[in-house]
Amino acid sequence: LKQPDYITCRELIGFIADYLDGALSSEVVHEFERHLAVCPSCVAYLDSYRKTIRLGQMATVPSDEPASGTVPEGLLNAIRAVLGRSASPPSRQE
Amino acid sequence: MMPVLDSTDSFSTERATEQRLLDRLRTGDTAAFEEVVGLHAGRMLAVARRYLEQEADAQDAVQEAFLSAFKGIAGFEGESRISTWLHRITVNACLMHLRTKRRRPERSIDDLLPVFIEDGHQRNPSRPWKPFNESGIEGAELRDMVRSKVNELPQMYREVLILRDFEGLDTAQTAGALGLEYAAVKTRLHRARQALRTLLDPYMREGDD
């Protein structure tokens, strides 16, 4: 029985976002994974695409940021000015 | 036996405290505004610094976010925490800055997309990436590098990436926030991820240390 041709690397890369979202039909997923089984370059591309998303998220998570105590007084005064008041720096700032 | 405050009680207490603060804000209580600034300005500035390279821009965005928040306090129903509401407003203020304060010519996204030869193979086959450590000094250096690469993306792609991948909005929400068609968000997101991948590739390939 003759196997159909493989999808190309260009086609596979075009499908990656939908593949990761689970938005492809089972037939397309089958073709996608059949290509991956014979193409190390696309395996590497898919892995690096996933890692790109993770790295971007990691670079923008707030966990390493101070919650308070490092707000410049100038900014606090500017915010107060926005509020229609010009007050001295806050006594509660730590 | 000592009374125990379980997590549900604690949650209810926090919500009640927030509701009282919200009620004071709605009456124009300036002390309540001060309290909100004291409680949330630091976190909002941290958010703005993640998306805007220049400190002055980050501070401007926080100022604008507070202005926007206090102007819109009547429309905030308390359906989310005040911190969540202010976070969203801060991200929006950052996006407005990205749209209006472009300081340098942007590179074409096409230069950052994979190139294919006639038969559909990649011109330059991809190589595996090394694993990465998300914590410690290595993690901090990696974060700075990734942020700088995100900032190299053209603004129209960066804003989709920020909302969809970093802020966790779904495609429809991102489309609504940016005034784009659903399909346009999908296309831009995929191109943005591919472009960022290209920018990160030299730093992340195995064997390139």
Side-chain angles (χ1 to χ4, degrees):
Chain A
L1 197 65
K2 184 178 180 300
Q3 283 276 1
D5 291 338
Y6 291 99
I7 61 172
T8 64
C9 300
R10 183 202 298 269
E11 288 169 320
L12 182 134
I13 288 173
F15 285 139
I16 283 180
D18 282 337
Y19 177 76
L20 295 180
D21 282 346
L24 296 176
S25 68
S26 57
E27 291 81 6
V28 178
V29 169
H30 176 73
E31 289 306 316
F32 188 97
E33 292 176 348
R34 206 165 67 88
H35 179 109
L36 285 179
V38 298
C39 183
S41 174
C42 282
V43 170
Y45 194 92
L46 174 62
D47 177 65
S48 59
Y49 187 100
R50 279 193 174 112
K51 283 179 173 155
T52 296
I53 297 169
R54 179 66 202 126
L55 283 167
Q57 291 167 340
M58 187 193 90
T60 51
V61 289
S63 59
D64 63 327
E65 310 286 2
S68 61
T70 58
V71 183
E73 280 185 16
L75 174 59
L76 290 170
N77 287 332
I79 295 167
R80 287 197 185 86
V82 162
L83 298 179
R85 300 182 333 126
S86 55
S88 56
S91 56
R92 73 169 64 83
Q93 192 187 4
E94 293 169 5
Chain B
M1 193 172 156
M2 292 283 288
V4 175
L5 191 68
D6 70 22
S7 59
T8 311
D9 290 335
S10 174
F11 179 74
S12 301
T13 306
E14 281 178 29
R15 291 307 291 240
T17 304
E18 285 227 328
Q19 188 56 53
R20 281 196 294 276
L21 181 58
L22 199 50
D23 291 341
R24 289 168 56 210
L25 289 171
R26 291 203 181 102
T27 63
D29 179 344
T30 50
F33 288 126
E34 283 269 349
E35 194 174 329
V36 169
V37 172
L39 284 171
H40 298 284
R43 181 69 67 190
M44 291 165 70
L45 183 58
V47 170
R49 283 173 175 159
R50 293 203 296 276
Y51 293 131
L52 300 170
E53 282 179 287
Q54 304 296 323
E55 176 67 16
D57 288 343
Q59 293 195 20
D60 282 352
V62 171
Q63 197 178 323
E64 286 152 17
F66 273 117
L67 179 60
S68 173
F70 294 148
K71 275 184 176 171
I73 192 69
F76 177 54
E77 303 286 348
E79 66 278 5
S80 63
R81 301 287 301 266
I82 291 175
S83 58
T84 306
W85 175 63
L86 289 172
H87 176 92
R88 289 189 195 127
I89 292 172
T90 306
V91 172
N92 283 338
C94 291
L95 292 177
M96 287 303 296
H97 257 263
L98 290 175
R99 286 187 167 190
T100 56
K101 300 247 174 159
R102 276 178 242 168
R103 288 204 161 88
R104 59 186 176 214
E106 295 187 323
R107 65 196 300 175
S108 165
I109 194 85
D110 292 333
D111 297 341
L112 299 170
L113 298 179
V115 178
F116 301 94
I117 55 179
E118 211 167 288
D119 67 1
H121 283 86
Q122 284 192 75
R123 180 187 290 167
N124 301 307
S126 301
R127 285 165 48 193
W129 279 14
K130 54 197 169 196
F132 49 86
N133 185 349
E134 299 187 14
S135 59
I137 293 170
E138 187 190 339
E141 287 174 358
L142 197 54
R143 272 193 293 279
D144 289 346
M145 185 274 286
V146 174
R147 282 184 197 175
S148 77
K149 296 303 168 190
V150 170
N151 286 331
E152 286 184 32
L153 295 175
Q155 174 272 329
M156 64 185 281
Y157 294 94
R158 197 178 354 163
E159 64 186 16
V160 170
L161 206 60
I162 287 171
L163 290 181
R164 181 71 168 70
D165 277 353
F166 306 162
E167 293 297 323
L169 271 60
D170 65 26
T171 303
Q173 290 169 328
T174 303
L178 296 176
L180 295 171
E181 296 292 329
Y182 187 93
V185 170
K186 286 187 68 173
T187 303
R188 284 190 198 181
L189 177 67
H190 184 46
R191 288 161 73 88
R193 289 168 172 173
Q194 290 180 95
L196 181 57
R197 185 213 158 273
T198 300
L199 291 169
L200 297 177
D201 192 48
Y203 301 88
M204 299 303 297
R205 281 192 302 250
E206 274 183 358
D208 276 8
D209 289 333

